[in-house]
Amino acid sequence: MTVKSAEATWNGTLKAGKGHLKLESGVYEGGYTFAGRFENGKGTNPEELIAAAHSGCYTMFLSALLSEKGLDPERLHTTAKVHLGAGPTVTKIELFLEAQVSGISEEDLRATAQEAKEKCPISKLLAAVPEMTLDIKVL
């Protein structure tokens, strides 16, 4: 079983304070603030990190499903957009996929992409989000 970790520290009040995030791998370490999360200020935020995790997991899972079909995708590129609404609560996640895969019909590619959306571990984790969409552009 694989276990991954990250750390967060927060100092001060919600609006005036600031935080620091650090990934176990060391590939990211940096600040986050109220303005960065709710007002488009500088720094990352939890929703951006969720978008990164979801786009990465989804793309790898789709590659795995295509590989199981004996296919070698030329290019899979996924953008995830996490919407933070009132509450605050995550209200919607949009996945945008650009796919270039030879040897598969567009219909089968779309079905496989949808299966990946439903079955990737991060999608399963985020199942409580009221709306999760997938838009596909076949290259």
Side-chain angles (χ1 to χ4, degrees):
M1 174 187 289
T2 302
V3 177
K4 300 296 180 186
S5 68
E7 301 173 22
T9 303
W10 189 266
N11 300 101
T13 64
L14 176 63
K15 288 190 177 183
K18 60 183 176 178
H20 187 83
L21 296 168
K22 180 179 178 182
L23 303 184
E24 172 186 36
S25 65
V27 299
Y28 177 79
E29 184 173 345
Y32 71 114
T33 64
F34 180 90
R37 187 171 191 193
F38 299 105
E39 300 170 348
N40 294 321
K42 291 185 180 182
T44 192
N45 57 69
E47 291 73 29
E48 182 179 49
L49 296 171
I50 289 168
H54 200 185
S55 63
C57 181
Y58 170 78
T59 306
M60 287 182 75
F61 199 88
L62 176 56
S63 178
L65 292 177
L66 292 167
S67 296
E68 288 175 0
K69 296 176 184 261
L71 300 167
D72 185 6
E74 290 89 5
R75 182 172 187 267
L76 301 173
H77 175 84
T78 307
T79 301
K81 294 185 178 184
V82 175
H83 297 249
L84 186 64
T89 199
V90 174
T91 58
K92 180 178 182 179
I93 297 175
E94 297 174 283
L95 295 172
F96 298 93
L97 169 68
E98 292 180 353
Q100 184 177 358
V101 184
S102 298
I104 189 171
S105 71
E106 184 172 333
E107 181 181 340
D108 286 345
L109 177 58
R110 288 182 182 279
T112 305
Q114 183 64 36
E115 179 183 358
K117 180 180 92 72
E118 295 166 4
K119 293 183 177 178
C120 93
I122 300 299
S123 286
K124 289 179 182 181
L125 178 69
L126 299 170
V129 174
E131 184 178 4
M132 189 180 300
T133 64
L134 173 62
D135 185 30
I136 303 167
K137 179 179 179 182
V138 178
L139 305 173

